[in-house]
Structures are given as structure tokens and as C-alpha cells.
Amino acid sequence: MFGLMQDWPLLQSRILTHAARFHGSAGIVTYSVEGPVHRTDYATLELRARKLAQALGRLGVGHGDRVATLAWNTWRHLELWFATSGMGAIAHTVNPRLFDDQLVYILNHAEDAVLCLDLSFVPLVERLLPRLAHVRHIVILTDRAHMPATKLPDPLCYEDIVEAEDGDYAWPTFDENTASGLCYTSGTTGDPKGVLYSHRSTVLHAFATVSTDTLGISARETALPIVPMFHANAWGVPFATTLTGARLVLNGPHHDPETLWKILDEERVSVTAAVPTIWLALLEYLRATGRGLPHLKAVTIGGSAAPRAMIEAFEHDYDVRVHHAWGMTETNPLGSVGTMTAETAALPPEQQLDLKCKQGRPVFGVEMRIVDDDGRILPHDGRSAGHLKVRGPWVARAYYRDETPILDADGFFDTGDVAHIDQYGFMQITDRAKDVIKSGGEWISSIALENAAVAHPDVLEAAVIGIPHPKWTERPLLVVVPRAGRTVSREEMRAFLADKVAKWWLPDDVVMVDEIPHSATGKIQKTALRERFRDYRFDAAATDG
Ligand code: ADP
């Protein structure tokens, strides 16, 4: 027997119309590409999204068509998300930090018919356009006064096409499983793969992200998602703020610590989210200038492991609560968050900090298991590490236009991460499966070593890779970027790490570099480091484990 409740499809346009009706005057602030601070609100956003839907319809965009964006976090980008998805088309966010070949591959694979770009990316698109097979219209996200001189053929001015419409448009109703957004993984191995979100997955994910046990985005907060909208939908933060009517602040093209601090301060931001590299730079800036974060209550850190020293600095020095989160493009992206339970909140502060260094408890909607190489499910003992697998209503079941099956017989998706889960349900990523260091038949966690190393006062950033070893298969090499004017030695680092990791984990050598390469989504690029140290071998005398 079915229940007798209404079947009301979970559509993204419904989040927007709710915000327009009940939080119409709540603000959306952008530190814009053109320069000035732009201020709008949810009522205006909804009206302009309707006009944009009319304009896109006039350009021939129909149900299921892909509209690509090469754009920073701005109100116009948000209007594009809601207009395309609201009309039944698909918002395809493209990461402009990828290489040309990857961008061409992605835009051709998605067969984007319309390409919308910020002023910053005009030279990029001028370069790429001859290789793009499907793009019919180019829209530049600016007003008439800022339209650039460009070689691009017939570029449309975003403000012109929006303002030419009257907004007399009603959001259509359709199946909640309709595709709404498309985002490609960066494809560190092989070609990039498209993750195709649905209205249902995005709306359910938005419900999950607003909770106080996850990102805590209530109607009383001011949220700044520094994580770009092209990186797994800015972790869903703009959908979450629209759902609750929270004030939304967008940083446009600005990612330098000084401007980010200014935005946090001027706009009295209370919750924010970004990858560790952003926070590393901001914390350095705060230390150097003596400035603080008086308005900020909580920071979500994810994308890569948050080092203990970073969590301690936020919580102890600046009184900002850290939400350490894990997720991936394939999970919309939220999978787990490290907020405390009644039981863990009663633990001594040091033990709570240990838990905050883990990637947190699975959010309802993401079922998690860890399995060994033979597929056996491992216990939640905080030690048994295995392949992390997930399933749920906002986990991908296939990649876009790709026949390769990606789920196991139980419907679980293999994340490619290696993790363990403790008795409190806190999951800890120990490595990407392809980055684990196999030493003497055991695994050494490169993430644990990196996090221990960055706690050293002279270390700014650290990365650990496995180097082939005749006796142990592989041994760890610690690559360090020292703080300005400092140096670190092998002996000093080994002594520092000695009481923090198992003795057999101690890196066989430590090398200093000026910079560690990062991927387009801010992760340490282990492939590039392994390539750089391809011919490196340990000095035989120093390396007997
Ligand atoms: P890409 O691989 O394209 O950069 P994703 O953002 O989807 O894109 O990357 C997801 C991966 O990032 C996860 O599988 C995991 O390896 C890593 N990751 C995400 N959050 C964390 C975290 N808090 N700690 C450690 N690793 C993380």
C-alpha cells in the first residue's frame, strides 16, 4: 500500500521560488570580476533567472541541453545555475584551471551548445574556440560598458540578453530525476569523467548540508563559499543558502588572503568553506598581520586532509569551529563531516581534536563501508583500513556518456580512497589507493605523515611519496616547503616525527623544495611529484627502514 502524501517533485526551481517568496530581501553580495561590490537579493535573483530562461530559450536551449560556464563565484553564475536547471536544461560548470586539452575534451564531450564566460576567460576561450565542435553561442558575463574587444565571433552581452526579456515565464514541472548539473572530475588518471547531477540529488543534498550537524547554514548565517562553483558545485553551499535564505557572499575571482580576509571582515561572514591551501595562506596572513576573525563562527575544510595544526589554529587562536568534511565530485559532494556527537563532545579536548583530524561521520544519505582487497567488509575499530565505498541518493551510478559500470554487485561506488572507521563512526582517509606507500607488505599513510610534518614550526607544506626500495618495495620520501627563511634537515624532521608516527613510517629522507605542485582543485599533485623524483634513490647507508 502506498502512502497518501503528495508527490511533489524535488526541483531546484522550487528552492529558488521559496527563497524569493519568503527570504526575498536576504542579500547576495559579490566582489565582482569588474571590480565593484555588487549587491542583490533572492527576489531579484529569481526574477532575473526567469528572464535568463527566456533568453536561453530564444537562443535555442531546450530540455536536456548543456550550457557551459567558465566562471567565478558570482550572482550571474548563480542565475545561470537556476535558469538552466529550472527550464530543464543542464548547467555544466567547467574548471578553468584545467589544461587546454582537458578543457577541449570536456566541452566537446559534453556537447555544450552555449558557453558563458567571465571577462577573465576571454583569452582562454579565444584560444580554445577553433577546437570546440558544438558551441553555437558565446555569452560574456558582464554589462555593455565592460564588453571587451575580442576576436570571439558575435559574443552576446549577458546583461543585454537578460534585460531584453520581461520575466513572464513560469518554471516548468518535470520529473525530479531529470539531470540538472554536470561537473567533470579532474581526471588525474585518464580522461575527465562527467558526473551528472539530478534535481532530486541536488535538493536532497541541499537539505543535508544545511543541518547544524553538517555545514550549519541556517537563515541567520552569512555564508562565503570560497570553494569555486566549478569545484563540485561549491560543495552545494549556494543551494544550501537559497534553501534556508541565508545571506550569501561570493568572492568572484579573488583568492588572495588579503582580499579574502577583507571580505570575511567587511561582510561579517559567519560560515565559510574552502580547501586547505586557501586556509594555509589565510592563516599565514593572519599571523603576519596580527589580524583576527571576529565574525567567523565555523569553517568547513575539505578536498584534502586538514592538518592538525590548521584545525588547532582555527579553534584555539581564532575561536572558529572547524568542520572537517570529506566528499568528491561523484557524491554531490558531501559524504561525511566531523561534528561531535553527545558522546564525543564529552571527551577531553585533545581526544576531540584527534577526532576532528578525521574526515568525520557519514551524513544520512551516504551509506559507507570499508572493504579489504577481497571485498570483505572491515570492522569499525579505527585501525582496519580498506577501500572506502559509498552508495546513496546523491552518489553517482554512472558517468556521463560512458558505458563502464562503476558500481559493485551491492550498488556501492568505490571512491578510490583508503580509510578506516572508528567506534564513534568517524571515518579517516589514510590515502588515495594509488598513493599508499607499500613498505614491507604493510601500508604507510602518506596523509598521516604529511599532517604530522606540517605541525613542525618551520614547515609550510609537506608531501610524502613512495620511492622504490630494493628491500622494502617502497619507502617514504618527505618533500617539504619550508617557511620563508627557514630550513629543515632529515635528522631534525625524523626526530620531530619520532613520537608522532610508528618508527617504521619515518621518512627515509627529507628534501626541501620551493613549491609543491597542486591540481586544478587544490590537491597536492602526487603524480607530478612522483615524476619529478622519478630517478631519486635513497642513499643506501641511510635507508634500512
Ligand atoms: P578531483 O579528484 O577531480 O580533484 P574531487 O574534489 O572529487 O575531485 O576529489 C575527491 C577526493 O578528494 C576524494 O576522493 C579524496 O581523495 C579527497 N578528499 C576530499 N576531502 C578530503 C579530506 N577531507 N581529507 C582527505 N582527502 C579528501
Side-chain angles (χ1 to χ4, degrees), residues 417-433:
D417 287 327
V418 176
H420 50 68
I421 300 178
D422 69 18
Q423 74 270 32
Y424 302 113
F426 278 70
M427 181 273 287
Q428 180 157 27
I429 304 273
T430 58
D431 247 314
R432 285 264 211 184

mmCIF file with all atom_site columns, all heavy atoms in Angstrom, residues 417-433:
data_model
loop_
_atom_site.group_PDB
_atom_site.id
_atom_site.type_symbol
_atom_site.label_atom_id
_atom_site.label_alt_id
_atom_site.label_comp_id
_atom_site.label_asym_id
_atom_site.label_entity_id
_atom_site.label_seq_id
_atom_site.pdbx_PDB_ins_code
_atom_site.Cartn_x
_atom_site.Cartn_y
_atom_site.Cartn_z
_atom_site.occupancy
_atom_site.B_iso_or_equiv
_atom_site.pdbx_formal_charge
_atom_site.auth_seq_id
_atom_site.auth_comp_id
_atom_site.auth_asym_id
_atom_site.auth_atom_id
_atom_site.pdbx_PDB_model_num
ATOM 1   N N   . ASP A 1 417 ? 39.520 5.885  -2.370 1.00 0.00 ? 417 ASP A N   1
ATOM 2   C CA  . ASP A 1 417 ? 40.196 6.269  -1.132 1.00 0.00 ? 417 ASP A CA  1
ATOM 3   C C   . ASP A 1 417 ? 40.366 5.049  -0.240 1.00 0.00 ? 417 ASP A C   1
ATOM 4   O O   . ASP A 1 417 ? 39.583 4.096  -0.302 1.00 0.00 ? 417 ASP A O   1
ATOM 5   C CB  . ASP A 1 417 ? 39.370 7.323  -0.383 1.00 0.00 ? 417 ASP A CB  1
ATOM 6   C CG  . ASP A 1 417 ? 39.422 8.682  -1.060 1.00 0.00 ? 417 ASP A CG  1
ATOM 7   O OD1 . ASP A 1 417 ? 40.476 9.008  -1.651 1.00 0.00 ? 417 ASP A OD1 1
ATOM 8   O OD2 . ASP A 1 417 ? 38.420 9.409  -1.005 1.00 0.00 ? 417 ASP A OD2 1
ATOM 9   N N   . VAL A 1 418 ? 41.392 5.118  0.611  1.00 0.00 ? 418 VAL A N   1
ATOM 10  C CA  . VAL A 1 418 ? 41.601 4.086  1.622  1.00 0.00 ? 418 VAL A CA  1
ATOM 11  C C   . VAL A 1 418 ? 41.318 4.728  2.973  1.00 0.00 ? 418 VAL A C   1
ATOM 12  O O   . VAL A 1 418 ? 41.761 5.850  3.230  1.00 0.00 ? 418 VAL A O   1
ATOM 13  C CB  . VAL A 1 418 ? 43.051 3.563  1.566  1.00 0.00 ? 418 VAL A CB  1
ATOM 14  C CG1 . VAL A 1 418 ? 43.307 2.556  2.672  1.00 0.00 ? 418 VAL A CG1 1
ATOM 15  C CG2 . VAL A 1 418 ? 43.339 2.956  0.205  1.00 0.00 ? 418 VAL A CG2 1
ATOM 16  N N   . ALA A 1 419 ? 40.534 4.037  3.802  1.00 0.00 ? 419 ALA A N   1
ATOM 17  C CA  . ALA A 1 419 ? 40.091 4.666  5.051  1.00 0.00 ? 419 ALA A CA  1
ATOM 18  C C   . ALA A 1 419 ? 39.841 3.618  6.124  1.00 0.00 ? 419 ALA A C   1
ATOM 19  O O   . ALA A 1 419 ? 39.758 2.428  5.839  1.00 0.00 ? 419 ALA A O   1
ATOM 20  C CB  . ALA A 1 419 ? 38.800 5.441  4.794  1.00 0.00 ? 419 ALA A CB  1
ATOM 21  N N   . HIS A 1 420 ? 39.732 4.079  7.374  1.00 0.00 ? 420 HIS A N   1
ATOM 22  C CA  . HIS A 1 420 ? 39.173 3.234  8.432  1.00 0.00 ? 420 HIS A CA  1
ATOM 23  C C   . HIS A 1 420 ? 38.091 4.016  9.151  1.00 0.00 ? 420 HIS A C   1
ATOM 24  O O   . HIS A 1 420 ? 37.988 5.237  9.004  1.00 0.00 ? 420 HIS A O   1
ATOM 25  C CB  . HIS A 1 420 ? 40.251 2.691  9.382  1.00 0.00 ? 420 HIS A CB  1
ATOM 26  C CG  . HIS A 1 420 ? 41.199 3.714  9.918  1.00 0.00 ? 420 HIS A CG  1
ATOM 27  N ND1 . HIS A 1 420 ? 40.826 4.699  10.782 1.00 0.00 ? 420 HIS A ND1 1
ATOM 28  C CD2 . HIS A 1 420 ? 42.529 3.892  9.699  1.00 0.00 ? 420 HIS A CD2 1
ATOM 29  C CE1 . HIS A 1 420 ? 41.869 5.445  11.093 1.00 0.00 ? 420 HIS A CE1 1
ATOM 30  N NE2 . HIS A 1 420 ? 42.917 4.992  10.434 1.00 0.00 ? 420 HIS A NE2 1
ATOM 31  N N   . ILE A 1 421 ? 37.270 3.296  9.906  1.00 0.00 ? 421 ILE A N   1
ATOM 32  C CA  . ILE A 1 421 ? 36.159 3.922  10.639 1.00 0.00 ? 421 ILE A CA  1
ATOM 33  C C   . ILE A 1 421 ? 36.288 3.491  12.096 1.00 0.00 ? 421 ILE A C   1
ATOM 34  O O   . ILE A 1 421 ? 36.560 2.315  12.374 1.00 0.00 ? 421 ILE A O   1
ATOM 35  C CB  . ILE A 1 421 ? 34.791 3.474  10.052 1.00 0.00 ? 421 ILE A CB  1
ATOM 36  C CG1 . ILE A 1 421 ? 34.687 3.881  8.573  1.00 0.00 ? 421 ILE A CG1 1
ATOM 37  C CG2 . ILE A 1 421 ? 33.624 4.079  10.846 1.00 0.00 ? 421 ILE A CG2 1
ATOM 38  C CD1 . ILE A 1 421 ? 33.404 3.444  7.866  1.00 0.00 ? 421 ILE A CD1 1
ATOM 39  N N   . ASP A 1 422 ? 36.133 4.442  13.034 1.00 0.00 ? 422 ASP A N   1
ATOM 40  C CA  . ASP A 1 422 ? 36.322 4.073  14.445 1.00 0.00 ? 422 ASP A CA  1
ATOM 41  C C   . ASP A 1 422 ? 34.987 3.753  15.128 1.00 0.00 ? 422 ASP A C   1
ATOM 42  O O   . ASP A 1 422 ? 33.929 3.786  14.501 1.00 0.00 ? 422 ASP A O   1
ATOM 43  C CB  . ASP A 1 422 ? 37.120 5.155  15.184 1.00 0.00 ? 422 ASP A CB  1
ATOM 44  C CG  . ASP A 1 422 ? 36.340 6.456  15.341 1.00 0.00 ? 422 ASP A CG  1
ATOM 45  O OD1 . ASP A 1 422 ? 35.098 6.441  15.194 1.00 0.00 ? 422 ASP A OD1 1
ATOM 46  O OD2 . ASP A 1 422 ? 36.974 7.499  15.608 1.00 0.00 ? 422 ASP A OD2 1
ATOM 47  N N   . GLN A 1 423 ? 35.078 3.475  16.446 1.00 0.00 ? 423 GLN A N   1
ATOM 48  C CA  . GLN A 1 423 ? 33.870 3.036  17.162 1.00 0.00 ? 423 GLN A CA  1
ATOM 49  C C   . GLN A 1 423 ? 32.829 4.141  17.277 1.00 0.00 ? 423 GLN A C   1
ATOM 50  O O   . GLN A 1 423 ? 31.665 3.880  17.545 1.00 0.00 ? 423 GLN A O   1
ATOM 51  C CB  . GLN A 1 423 ? 34.229 2.476  18.558 1.00 0.00 ? 423 GLN A CB  1
ATOM 52  C CG  . GLN A 1 423 ? 34.612 3.501  19.613 1.00 0.00 ? 423 GLN A CG  1
ATOM 53  C CD  . GLN A 1 423 ? 36.112 3.804  19.634 1.00 0.00 ? 423 GLN A CD  1
ATOM 54  O OE1 . GLN A 1 423 ? 36.797 3.765  18.600 1.00 0.00 ? 423 GLN A OE1 1
ATOM 55  N NE2 . GLN A 1 423 ? 36.629 4.114  20.812 1.00 0.00 ? 423 GLN A NE2 1
ATOM 56  N N   . TYR A 1 424 ? 33.238 5.411  17.098 1.00 0.00 ? 424 TYR A N   1
ATOM 57  C CA  . TYR A 1 424 ? 32.278 6.518  17.137 1.00 0.00 ? 424 TYR A CA  1
ATOM 58  C C   . TYR A 1 424 ? 31.658 6.781  15.766 1.00 0.00 ? 424 TYR A C   1
ATOM 59  O O   . TYR A 1 424 ? 30.852 7.687  15.596 1.00 0.00 ? 424 TYR A O   1
ATOM 60  C CB  . TYR A 1 424 ? 32.962 7.808  17.606 1.00 0.00 ? 424 TYR A CB  1
ATOM 61  C CG  . TYR A 1 424 ? 33.615 7.688  18.959 1.00 0.00 ? 424 TYR A CG  1
ATOM 62  C CD1 . TYR A 1 424 ? 34.998 7.753  19.086 1.00 0.00 ? 424 TYR A CD1 1
ATOM 63  C CD2 . TYR A 1 424 ? 32.848 7.499  20.113 1.00 0.00 ? 424 TYR A CD2 1
ATOM 64  C CE1 . TYR A 1 424 ? 35.601 7.641  20.314 1.00 0.00 ? 424 TYR A CE1 1
ATOM 65  C CE2 . TYR A 1 424 ? 33.449 7.388  21.353 1.00 0.00 ? 424 TYR A CE2 1
ATOM 66  C CZ  . TYR A 1 424 ? 34.826 7.460  21.451 1.00 0.00 ? 424 TYR A CZ  1
ATOM 67  O OH  . TYR A 1 424 ? 35.420 7.343  22.665 1.00 0.00 ? 424 TYR A OH  1
ATOM 68  N N   . GLY A 1 425 ? 32.120 6.029  14.749 1.00 0.00 ? 425 GLY A N   1
ATOM 69  C CA  . GLY A 1 425 ? 31.609 6.239  13.392 1.00 0.00 ? 425 GLY A CA  1
ATOM 70  C C   . GLY A 1 425 ? 32.420 7.261  12.610 1.00 0.00 ? 425 GLY A C   1
ATOM 71  O O   . GLY A 1 425 ? 32.041 7.642  11.505 1.00 0.00 ? 425 GLY A O   1
ATOM 72  N N   . PHE A 1 426 ? 33.532 7.747  13.164 1.00 0.00 ? 426 PHE A N   1
ATOM 73  C CA  . PHE A 1 426 ? 34.372 8.720  12.446 1.00 0.00 ? 426 PHE A CA  1
ATOM 74  C C   . PHE A 1 426 ? 35.244 7.986  11.437 1.00 0.00 ? 426 PHE A C   1
ATOM 75  O O   . PHE A 1 426 ? 35.998 7.078  11.797 1.00 0.00 ? 426 PHE A O   1
ATOM 76  C CB  . PHE A 1 426 ? 35.262 9.506  13.420 1.00 0.00 ? 426 PHE A CB  1
ATOM 77  C CG  . PHE A 1 426 ? 34.559 10.659 14.078 1.00 0.00 ? 426 PHE A CG  1
ATOM 78  C CD1 . PHE A 1 426 ? 33.561 10.438 15.019 1.00 0.00 ? 426 PHE A CD1 1
ATOM 79  C CD2 . PHE A 1 426 ? 34.885 11.966 13.751 1.00 0.00 ? 426 PHE A CD2 1
ATOM 80  C CE1 . PHE A 1 426 ? 32.905 11.494 15.621 1.00 0.00 ? 426 PHE A CE1 1
ATOM 81  C CE2 . PHE A 1 426 ? 34.238 13.038 14.350 1.00 0.00 ? 426 PHE A CE2 1
ATOM 82  C CZ  . PHE A 1 426 ? 33.246 12.806 15.286 1.00 0.00 ? 426 PHE A CZ  1
ATOM 83  N N   . MET A 1 427 ? 35.133 8.419  10.179 1.00 0.00 ? 427 MET A N   1
ATOM 84  C CA  . MET A 1 427 ? 35.919 7.836  9.097  1.00 0.00 ? 427 MET A CA  1
ATOM 85  C C   . MET A 1 427 ? 37.209 8.639  8.951  1.00 0.00 ? 427 MET A C   1
ATOM 86  O O   . MET A 1 427 ? 37.199 9.871  9.085  1.00 0.00 ? 427 MET A O   1
ATOM 87  C CB  . MET A 1 427 ? 35.090 7.893  7.818  1.00 0.00 ? 427 MET A CB  1
ATOM 88  C CG  . MET A 1 427 ? 35.728 7.305  6.587  1.00 0.00 ? 427 MET A CG  1
ATOM 89  S SD  . MET A 1 427 ? 36.755 8.474  5.708  1.00 0.00 ? 427 MET A SD  1
ATOM 90  C CE  . MET A 1 427 ? 35.537 9.544  4.986  1.00 0.00 ? 427 MET A CE  1
ATOM 91  N N   . GLN A 1 428 ? 38.301 7.935  8.723  1.00 0.00 ? 428 GLN A N   1
ATOM 92  C CA  . GLN A 1 428 ? 39.559 8.642  8.450  1.00 0.00 ? 428 GLN A CA  1
ATOM 93  C C   . GLN A 1 428 ? 40.172 8.139  7.158  1.00 0.00 ? 428 GLN A C   1
ATOM 94  O O   . GLN A 1 428 ? 40.415 6.943  6.990  1.00 0.00 ? 428 GLN A O   1
ATOM 95  C CB  . GLN A 1 428 ? 40.546 8.447  9.604  1.00 0.00 ? 428 GLN A CB  1
ATOM 96  C CG  . GLN A 1 428 ? 41.865 9.177  9.334  1.00 0.00 ? 428 GLN A CG  1
ATOM 97  C CD  . GLN A 1 428 ? 42.640 9.485  10.586 1.00 0.00 ? 428 GLN A CD  1
ATOM 98  O OE1 . GLN A 1 428 ? 42.501 8.781  11.594 1.00 0.00 ? 428 GLN A OE1 1
ATOM 99  N NE2 . GLN A 1 428 ? 43.457 10.521 10.545 1.00 0.00 ? 428 GLN A NE2 1
ATOM 100 N N   . ILE A 1 429 ? 40.427 9.093  6.253  1.00 0.00 ? 429 ILE A N   1
ATOM 101 C CA  . ILE A 1 429 ? 41.103 8.750  4.999  1.00 0.00 ? 429 ILE A CA  1
ATOM 102 C C   . ILE A 1 429 ? 42.587 8.589  5.321  1.00 0.00 ? 429 ILE A C   1
ATOM 103 O O   . ILE A 1 429 ? 43.201 9.499  5.882  1.00 0.00 ? 429 ILE A O   1
ATOM 104 C CB  . ILE A 1 429 ? 40.960 9.889  3.971  1.00 0.00 ? 429 ILE A CB  1
ATOM 105 C CG1 . ILE A 1 429 ? 39.509 10.234 3.716  1.00 0.00 ? 429 ILE A CG1 1
ATOM 106 C CG2 . ILE A 1 429 ? 41.718 9.579  2.691  1.00 0.00 ? 429 ILE A CG2 1
ATOM 107 C CD1 . ILE A 1 429 ? 38.827 9.444  2.667  1.00 0.00 ? 429 ILE A CD1 1
ATOM 108 N N   . THR A 1 430 ? 43.150 7.464  4.955  1.00 0.00 ? 430 THR A N   1
ATOM 109 C CA  . THR A 1 430 ? 44.594 7.310  5.169  1.00 0.00 ? 430 THR A CA  1
ATOM 110 C C   . THR A 1 430 ? 45.353 7.568  3.875  1.00 0.00 ? 430 THR A C   1
ATOM 111 O O   . THR A 1 430 ? 46.525 7.900  3.902  1.00 0.00 ? 430 THR A O   1
ATOM 112 C CB  . THR A 1 430 ? 44.937 5.912  5.704  1.00 0.00 ? 430 THR A CB  1
ATOM 113 O OG1 . THR A 1 430 ? 44.456 4.942  4.773  1.00 0.00 ? 430 THR A OG1 1
ATOM 114 C CG2 . THR A 1 430 ? 44.293 5.667  7.057  1.00 0.00 ? 430 THR A CG2 1
ATOM 115 N N   . ASP A 1 431 ? 44.685 7.436  2.752  1.00 0.00 ? 431 ASP A N   1
ATOM 116 C CA  . ASP A 1 431 ? 45.344 7.676  1.465  1.00 0.00 ? 431 ASP A CA  1
ATOM 117 C C   . ASP A 1 431 ? 44.369 7.566  0.323  1.00 0.00 ? 431 ASP A C   1
ATOM 118 O O   . ASP A 1 431 ? 43.273 7.050  0.482  1.00 0.00 ? 431 ASP A O   1
ATOM 119 C CB  . ASP A 1 431 ? 46.451 6.644  1.223  1.00 0.00 ? 431 ASP A CB  1
ATOM 120 C CG  . ASP A 1 431 ? 47.808 7.294  1.247  1.00 0.00 ? 431 ASP A CG  1
ATOM 121 O OD1 . ASP A 1 431 ? 47.940 8.346  0.602  1.00 0.00 ? 431 ASP A OD1 1
ATOM 122 O OD2 . ASP A 1 431 ? 48.709 6.781  1.916  1.00 0.00 ? 431 ASP A OD2 1
ATOM 123 N N   . ARG A 1 432 ? 44.815 8.032  -0.848 1.00 0.00 ? 432 ARG A N   1
ATOM 124 C CA  . ARG A 1 432 ? 44.190 7.618  -2.089 1.00 0.00 ? 432 ARG A CA  1
ATOM 125 C C   . ARG A 1 432 ? 44.792 6.242  -2.365 1.00 0.00 ? 432 ARG A C   1
ATOM 126 O O   . ARG A 1 432 ? 46.005 6.056  -2.147 1.00 0.00 ? 432 ARG A O   1
ATOM 127 C CB  . ARG A 1 432 ? 44.599 8.553  -3.224 1.00 0.00 ? 432 ARG A CB  1
ATOM 128 C CG  . ARG A 1 432 ? 43.934 9.890  -3.187 1.00 0.00 ? 432 ARG A CG  1
ATOM 129 C CD  . ARG A 1 432 ? 42.716 9.882  -4.087 1.00 0.00 ? 432 ARG A CD  1
ATOM 130 N NE  . ARG A 1 432 ? 42.492 11.206 -4.644 1.00 0.00 ? 432 ARG A NE  1
ATOM 131 C CZ  . ARG A 1 432 ? 41.462 11.509 -5.408 1.00 0.00 ? 432 ARG A CZ  1
ATOM 132 N NH1 . ARG A 1 432 ? 40.571 10.594 -5.711 1.00 0.00 ? 432 ARG A NH1 1
ATOM 133 N NH2 . ARG A 1 432 ? 41.298 12.710 -5.883 1.00 0.00 ? 432 ARG A NH2 1
ATOM 134 N N   . ALA A 1 433 ? 44.013 5.316  -2.878 1.00 0.00 ? 433 ALA A N   1
ATOM 135 C CA  . ALA A 1 433 ? 44.537 3.957  -3.096 1.00 0.00 ? 433 ALA A CA  1
ATOM 136 C C   . ALA A 1 433 ? 45.828 4.005  -3.921 1.00 0.00 ? 433 ALA A C   1
ATOM 137 O O   . ALA A 1 433 ? 46.766 3.263  -3.665 1.00 0.00 ? 433 ALA A O   1
ATOM 138 C CB  . ALA A 1 433 ? 43.487 3.098  -3.781 1.00 0.00 ? 433 ALA A CB  1
#
